[in-house]
Every structure is written in structure tokens, then in C-alpha cells.
């Protein structure tokens, strides 16, 4: 029968068809963004880029995610990424992610936004737009005065390829 599995009955003496159990993982989707973006100093929010749409299949599930956005000249400690999920109907949810880096100079590969978490809203079935907004929370000087670079390439550091290795994101739709 469709949507059923064959298993041993509860007495352990015969096989029977039963409803297929529902798993917690409903869907996973990978996003990749390689466009090099230069962002100059300022104190207002800037839309960095949109990852795309995640098409939810369950109204009761939540979106878990992990990924990263590489950068250069991101040494301003006030810079953070507003990771935003906006459903086709309903209200958006925003999660703030501080930038993480190992040094405060222009070294590539040491500065990035780490995206990891869960949107606590159980968005309706349908498209949810995923976007990154760079914010300095009203602080003057959002990044380096000569321009913050998102997704640096070989024009920023000759060790990198001509096309930026880019930003990566995996989103999981999971029933809690």
C-alpha cells in the first residue's frame, strides 16, 4: 500500500503493513552566494544580499540553519548581520549575528559572520525569503573606512580564486 512500510507485528510472529513513520527532518536546502560586495562606512542598515527562498512544506516545523559569510576589513566591532526570514504571509523574524574574526587587520579568511541557529517562528507553508542585512546599530563607521568587502576574491588577496569562494548556508526544516 502507498505510504506504508512492512514491519514485524507487536507479537513478533508475523509481518504486517503499517503507516510510514514521519521523520523530524522535512527538508534541507543549500544556498551559495559568490558575488563580491563592497560596503563603505555609514550608520544605516544595508541589504547585503538575499540567499533566495526556502519553500516550507509543514506549517508546524521550524527552520534551523548554519553557514558563514567571509569578509575583509570588517574590523569594526559594531558590525553585525541581521539574518532575516520573511514569509510570503505573516511577520518576518530577525536574528542578529555578530561578526567573528581572529585578527583586526586586513587578513582574508579571518573575518566572517557565523550563521547558526533557529528561527523560532513556525512560518506558514510556502516561500520564506532569507536575507542578510548589515547593521551597525546606529554606530558611525559600519566597517573599515576604505570599505568592508563581503565574499572577497583575488583582487583582495592573490591567494584567492578570481571568483570568490563565497558564502554558504544550509537550512533545515525540522518538526520539533
Amino acid at each position: 500500500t502507498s505510504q506504508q512500510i512492512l514491519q514485524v507485528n507487536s507479537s513478533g510472529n508475523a509481518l504486517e503493513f503499517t503507516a510510514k513513520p514521519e521523520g523530524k527532518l522535512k527538508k534541507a536546502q543549500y544556498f551559495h552566494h559568490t558575488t563580491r560586495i563592497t560596503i563603505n562606512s555609514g550608520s544605516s542598515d544595508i541589504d547585503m544580499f538575499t540567499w533566495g527562498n526556502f519553500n516550507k512544506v509543514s506549517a508546524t516545523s521550524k527552520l534551523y540553519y548554519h553557514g558563514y559569510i567571509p569578509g575583509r576589513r570588517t574590523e569594526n566591532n559594531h558590525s553585525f548581520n541581521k539574518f532575516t526570514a520573511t514569509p510570503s504571509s505573516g511577520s518576518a523574524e530577525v536574528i542578529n549575528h555578530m561578526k567573528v574574526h581572529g585578527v583586526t587587520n586586513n587578513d582574508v579568511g579571518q573575518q566572517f559572520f557565523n550563521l547558526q541557529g533557529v528561527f523560532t517562528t513556525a512560518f506558514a507553508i510556502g516561500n520564506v525569503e532569507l536575507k542578510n542585512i548589515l547593521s551597525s546599530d546606529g554606530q558611525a563607521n559600519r566597517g573599515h573606512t576604505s570599505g568592508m568587502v563581503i565574499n572577497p576574491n583575488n583582487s583582495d588577496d592573490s591567494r584567492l580564486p578570481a571568483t570568490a569562494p563565497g558564502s554558504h548556508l544550509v537550512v533545515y526544516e525540522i518538526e520539533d
Side-chain angles (χ1 to χ4, degrees), residues 41-42 73-80 98-99 101 104 111 113 136 139-144 148:
S41 290
R73 296 181 177 147
T74 61
E75 62 267 22
N76 183 326
N77 288 329
H78 296 292
S79 297
F80 67 88
M98 295 299 293
K99 91 176 152 45
H101 61 77
T104 56
Q111 305 161 339
F113 290 100
S136 61
Q139 302 291 325
N141 227 3
R142 175 177 32 254
H144 192 281
M148 178 188 291

Side-chain angles (χ1 to χ4, degrees), residues 115-161:
L115 302 176
Q116 184 172 304
V118 59
F119 288 104
T120 57
T121 302
F123 300 115
I125 292 173
N127 283 332
V128 178
E129 181 187 60
L130 302 170
K131 182 195 301 192
N132 294 293
I133 299 171
L134 183 68
S135 175
S136 61
D137 198 22
Q139 302 291 325
N141 227 3
R142 175 177 32 254
H144 192 281
T145 54
S146 61
M148 178 188 291
V149 177
I150 301 299
N151 292 331
N153 61 25
N154 67 354
S155 67
D156 304 298
D157 184 325
S158 62
R159 297 171 293 181
L160 293 173

Side-chain angles (χ1 to χ4, degrees), residues 23 53 62 65 67 82 93 100 120-121 144 158 160 172 176:
N53 288 319
K62 294 182 182 164
Y65 60 89
K82 294 179 178 179
E93 183 175 342
V100 178
T120 57
T121 302
H144 192 281
S158 62
L160 293 173
Y172 305 93
D176 283 339

